[in-house]
Amino acid sequence: IARPPMEPTGPDGRNTEILDLAGQARTRRRLTLTGPGGVGKTRLAQRVASELRDEMQGEVFIVELAAVHDPASAVAAIATALDVQQRQYLSVEESLVAYLLARPALLILDNCEHLRGSVAPLVERLLGQCPDVTVVCTRREVLGLPHGPVRRGEDTPMQSAAAEVRQRRETGPGRPLLGLRPLGRGTV
């Protein structure tokens, strides 16, 4: 998905969490949501995107990277999702930076754990050269970039991811999605 569908922030007990993350995205330019597969990182990122859509003047992009298997193709996949055409005499990455350079945008890179080697340098470049771009990554582990907030889903070492998902479903809508807690500054 390049542009997220509008999703209501209904009374499901998660509004506080969504508003907290949207606030983080307003004040910090990089945020990573981590946790075991199936705990709701993507859904949470979609809800945050919906919350920020108007503020970003519609420039909110969710790029699903799970199907990208070759790290060398990651930048091209992101550019394609944003409908960025390679400009003459520029690389795909340079064209992407040029596209995002003068616009406020929220870029959500979903399921990027297997593309760390190509996504981390791109994120650093976008944040360094595009002053109005905010990047939210969803992944099962931290991205490895210094000085950005990380929000982790609580996972119990003795439980498998499937057991935890089952447990969260059984506790009902009042339980926070992902059980997120801020970790402050550190590696993203």
Side-chain angles (χ1 to χ4, degrees), residues 1-23:
I1 299 174
R3 298 198 187 264
M6 290 298 288
E7 296 202 26
T9 51
D12 63 358
R14 297 184 176 129
N15 284 342
T16 301
E17 192 170 17
I18 292 162
L19 294 175
D20 177 52
L21 283 172

Side-chain angles (χ1 to χ4, degrees), residues 164-183:
E164 184 171 338
V165 169
R166 245 188 338 273
Q167 179 186 9
R168 289 179 192 273
R169 286 185 184 143
E170 292 169 2
T171 61
R175 182 177 170 107
L177 183 65
L178 288 180
L180 296 177
R181 54 188 159 76
L183 296 179

Side-chain angles (χ1 to χ4, degrees), residues 18 20 30-31 44 70 74 82 92 103 116 135 141 161 172 175 182 184:
I18 292 162
D20 177 52
R30 177 177 50 226
L31 183 66
L44 184 59
D70 180 10
L82 274 66
V92 174
R103 64 183 73 220
R116 178 180 179 190
V135 179
E141 58 192 44
R175 182 177 170 107

